[in-house]
Amino acid sequence: MGATAMVALAFAQPSAQAVTFGTGLTDTEWRIEANPYYCRFYQPLPQYGSAVFFHEAGETLEFYLQSTRNLMAVGQAAITIQAPPWRSSALTTELGYVRVKDLAIPIRIETARAGRMMDELGRGMSPSLTRRSKYGDDTISLHISPVNFKQYYSDYLNCQTGLLPVNYRQIERTTLSFDAGGDQLSTRVRSQLDDIVTYLREDSLITAIYIDGHSDSAGNRYNNRRLSEQRAYRVTDYLVNAGVDAGMILTRYHGDRYPIATNETAAGRAKNRRVTVQFDRIEDDPNDPLLGLPDFEAP
């Protein structure tokens, strides 16, 4: 076992068969990847992978384990908050269990407990993950060191402040709703469009915007088509007035031809009174910042 693993064994619960991964006072690193699309604040775990606090634009904080060789068996891993060796008198706190999958990212922890883990690091404590080994009865324990955490935490907060209000998945097919017989943009619709404008100002890989107006079937076909046209151009005008290049926009209108719900109920008609906004985006640019997003389903 290497020197790093030997130092980390001080974190382990007393066990003749515990195999522990982590860092100590002198070899702990924190790194941050910061851009308007996501913040990745992470600690490399030698011989195992990385412990990652991840905040994507439009989402909330989560934690995941990025593994270069996952040694934990599929099942439930225990999450605890432990004291590092130099604070051995502090009590251990249990945060329940998390599912371990046989993937490159075997563990994901939701916002509430990820935030608690981050808070405890700020207090000088060590979040830990423990699970039986996939290759036997040994216990695998991973420990995230609090060393130098505060030094880099402010960088994470600065990144968080600069995130876009939405991510691409949230806007790539946006539906804007309208009142019966109306074409005015509601406060909610304006807010949705403002988020789209903010995103478009950042993402230079968007090449085209498709705006499609629709109506319910309450009126005659001609009037419904005109109403869907008015709604579509309300949206187009709003984007252009906000600075979006008009040459990128294709505006279309369809009346009541393409319902997405029954027109026999008020709820269904409300769904059909809509404008959709969709995008073309370059997918093969090697410098695409979205390529840095984690793939939670990769084997």
Side-chain angles (χ1 to χ4, degrees):
M1 184 179 297
T4 296
M6 290 294 292
V7 171
L9 281 173
F11 282 94
Q13 300 289 342
S15 172
Q17 296 182 336
V19 181
T20 306
F21 296 85
T23 56
L25 278 170
T26 61
D27 59 349
T28 295
E29 291 183 75
W30 285 99
R31 301 175 185 173
I32 188 164
E33 296 175 20
N35 59 53
Y37 304 95
Y38 61 82
C39 306
R40 181 183 282 113
F41 185 32
Y42 66 101
Q43 181 178 121
L45 300 175
Q47 304 177 46
Y48 207 99
S50 296
V52 185
F53 291 96
F54 183 74
H55 193 158
E56 184 180 1
E59 305 289 353
T60 55
L61 173 72
E62 67 176 304
F63 170 89
Y64 66 83
L65 176 66
Q66 179 78 54
S67 176
T68 53
R69 55 166 195 148
N70 178 39
L71 301 179
M72 291 184 177
V74 170
Q76 299 292 321
I79 311 171
T80 56
I81 305 298
Q82 301 182 19
W86 56 93
R87 292 191 59 190
S88 58
S89 61
L91 296 177
T92 295
T93 303
E94 297 179 356
L95 295 186
Y97 293 85
V98 62
R99 180 74 177 169
V100 179
K101 298 182 179 181
D102 189 19
L103 298 171
I105 297 178
I107 288 176
R108 293 177 70 181
I109 297 176
E110 81 292 341
T111 300
R113 290 190 292 179
R116 174 70 183 277
M117 292 165 66
M118 189 172 275
D119 290 343
E120 294 292 347
L121 284 163
R123 295 177 54 238
M125 297 292 282
S126 174
S128 303
L129 300 165
T130 304
R131 172 66 183 151
R132 179 174 57 81
S133 169
K134 67 164 59 174
Y135 300 114
D137 294 328
D138 292 350
T139 297
I140 303 296
S141 291
L142 307 177
H143 298 278
I144 308 170
S145 171
V147 173
N148 296 326
F149 174 80
K150 290 184 177 179
Q151 178 180 343
Y152 293 95
Y153 182 60
S154 60
D155 293 334
Y156 163 74
L157 293 179
N158 289 335
C159 175
Q160 184 185 53
T161 300
L163 288 173
L164 291 164
V166 290
N167 60 57
Y168 183 63
R169 296 189 315 279
Q170 292 171 331
I171 66 163
E172 63 179 327
R173 184 177 175 86
T174 297
T175 298
L176 309 171
S177 298
F178 288 79
D179 291 336
D183 64 353
Q184 298 300 306
L185 305 182
S186 68
T187 299
R188 173 173 170 74
V189 166
R190 289 173 182 270
S191 178
Q192 290 176 275
L193 292 174
D194 288 342
D195 285 344
I196 288 174
V197 169
T198 301
Y199 185 90
L200 292 175
R201 287 172 179 161
E202 187 65 42
D203 192 345
S204 61
L205 298 182
I206 301 289
T207 58
I209 305 168
Y210 302 97
I211 296 175
D212 290 272
H214 302 271
S215 74
D216 60 28
S217 63
N220 63 54
R221 283 290 178 90
Y222 176 83
N223 289 337
N224 287 341
R225 184 170 172 80
R226 296 286 73 79
L227 183 57
S228 68
E229 177 184 13
Q230 292 163 7
R231 289 169 175 164
Y233 277 103
R234 286 282 189 185
V235 172
T236 298
D237 291 345
Y238 191 92
L239 294 179
V240 171
N241 290 335
V244 176
D245 181 2
M248 296 175 59
I249 301 176
L250 176 61
T251 306
R252 303 175 291 201
Y253 40 93
H254 312 282
D256 55 15
R257 292 178 60 196
Y258 302 113
I260 57 172
T262 178
N263 278 301
E264 299 303 315
T265 66
R269 291 190 294 274
K271 290 181 179 180
N272 292 331
R273 297 190 299 268
R274 70 199 190 279
V275 169
T276 60
V277 184
Q278 300 178 78
F279 305 91
D280 277 345
R281 188 176 187 277
I282 297 172
E283 296 182 352
D284 56 356
D285 189 311
N287 297 316
D288 184 353
L290 301 191
L291 295 176
L293 293 173
D295 183 353
F296 292 115
E297 300 302 322

